[in-house]
Amino acid sequence: MNRSFAIDVLKLLAAQLIVLHHLSGYGPMAEAIRSAWPSLIEHLYMDARLAVQVFLVIGGYLAAQSIMGRRGQHHPVTLIQRRYLRLMPSFVLALCWVTSLVWLLRPFISGDWLVDAPSLHSVLAHLTLLQSVLDVPALSVGVWYVAADFQLYALLVLLAYWLKSDRALSLGVAALCVASMWGFNRFESLDNWAIYFFAAYGLGVLAAWARRSSFDQLVLGAVLLLGEESLWFEPRIRLALALLTCLVLAYVSVNNLKFNRIQLGRISTLLVDSAYAMFLTHFGMIVVFSASWEHWQLSSPSAALWMSGLAWMASIAVGVAFHVWGEKPLTAWVTQPRAALDVQQIRSTFSATLRHVLSRMAALWPSRSSVAKF
C-alpha cells in the first residue's frame, strides 16, 4: 500500500496531541502547570484528545483499502484473527512495560491517578480486549482505543462478508455510519462499543471507497450531508472534526493530488510509523518523570513545563525504540507463514464471544451519561 502524505501528516500531528493530552491529565507536573496556566491545561486536556477522531477516520480509511483487497479470498474469522494477532503482541509487551514501571515506582508517587495493579481478571479482560465492555479498570491509558479499533475492524469485516456486492456494502456502511451519527454516537453510555465510534470510522471507510466510482462518491456526499444535519440537531465537536478529516482524505484520494505523493523525511517517517508504539508506551514515561519530580521535590510551574517537555521527548524516543526493536520484529514474526489454526475452533470461540457481547448490549438501554471518552 503506497504511503499517503496527507495521512502521514495527520497521524504525526494527532499522535503528538494525544501524548500532550495525557501529559495534561496525569501526574503532579500537570497540577503544577495548572496552578499558573489553567487555561493551557484545560485546552490540552479537553481539546487535544479530539485527535482520536482523526485516528478513527484514518483507521477506517486504511481498513477499507485492506479489506477490499482481500474480499472473497479469506473467511472473515481469518481476517479478524489476523487483526487480533497484529495488535496483541505489541499491546501485551507495552502493558508489561507500563505495569512494571508502575509497580517499581508506585512507592515514590503520591496521588490516585496511577493505574491499578494487574490481577488475573484484569489481565484476561485485556487479553480478550473486553476490559471496557466488562468495566475492568484499564492497566494503562488509552488501551480502550485498541479494543475499539478491533471491534470496528471486526464489524467492517462482517459487513463485507454479509453484503456481497460493492454497492450493497457501501450502502450498508453508510447506513450504519448515519445511524451512529444520529443515534448511537449521542448516547455516552455506549462509548465502550464500536457502534458509538462508527460515525468516524465509517466516514474513513467511505472516503477510501469514494475513488472507486461516482456511485460511491454520491453515497459519501449523502452521508456528509446527513452528518452536517446531525450537527445542527446536536452539535458535537468530535463529529465535526471527523467530517472535516473525511473531507480532506476523500478530496486528496479522489483527485489524486501530486502533493499526496510527497515523501516525508526519514525521521518524520519514523515518527509516523512509531505512532502506535508511542501511543502504547508513553504512559510509562509519565510515570517515570512523575516519580523524578517527587523525588527531587520540585514544585514550580516553570520546572513542571520543563519536566513535561522532557517527558514528551522521552515518550517519542521510547516509542521509536519500541517500534524498531519490539513492534517490527513481533509483527514480522506474527505475519510469517505457519500452520493454519483450527478454523472451526476459532469460529466456535468467536461465536460464543459474539453471543456474550450481544447479550451485554441487549442489557443496555441507551441513556445519557455525564462522562464519556469522547
Side-chain angles (χ1 to χ4, degrees), residues 62-100:
L62 297 177
Q65 292 181 329
S66 173
I67 287 176
M68 291 309 296
R70 301 177 183 178
R71 195 177 182 197
Q73 299 178 7
H74 304 285
H75 193 276
V77 171
T78 302
L79 293 176
I80 294 172
Q81 169 201 324
R82 289 182 179 178
R83 183 64 174 176
Y84 178 83
L85 293 176
R86 168 66 180 85
L87 292 173
M88 289 308 292
S90 300
F91 180 70
V92 171
L93 183 60
L95 284 183
C96 292
W97 153 263
V98 171
T99 54
S100 296

Side-chain angles (χ1 to χ4, degrees), residues 206-250:
L206 296 174
W209 291 343
R211 64 183 304 175
R212 295 188 311 187
S213 66
S214 57
F215 174 81
D216 288 292
Q217 294 173 20
L218 181 63
V219 170
L220 175 60
V223 171
L224 288 172
L225 181 61
L226 289 170
E228 182 184 3
E229 294 298 319
S230 177
L231 288 178
W232 282 103
F233 181 73
E234 183 174 332
R236 283 155 287 167
I237 186 64
R238 61 179 184 271
L239 179 56
L241 181 58
L243 290 168
L244 179 60
T245 306
C246 172
L247 277 172
V248 171
L249 294 183

Side-chain angles (χ1 to χ4, degrees), residues 130-151:
L130 293 174
Q131 70 277 0
S132 297
V133 173
L134 300 176
D135 294 324
V136 174
L139 296 178
S140 183
V141 299
V143 295
W144 67 266
Y145 179 83
V146 182
D149 177 84
F150 180 70
Q151 283 187 39

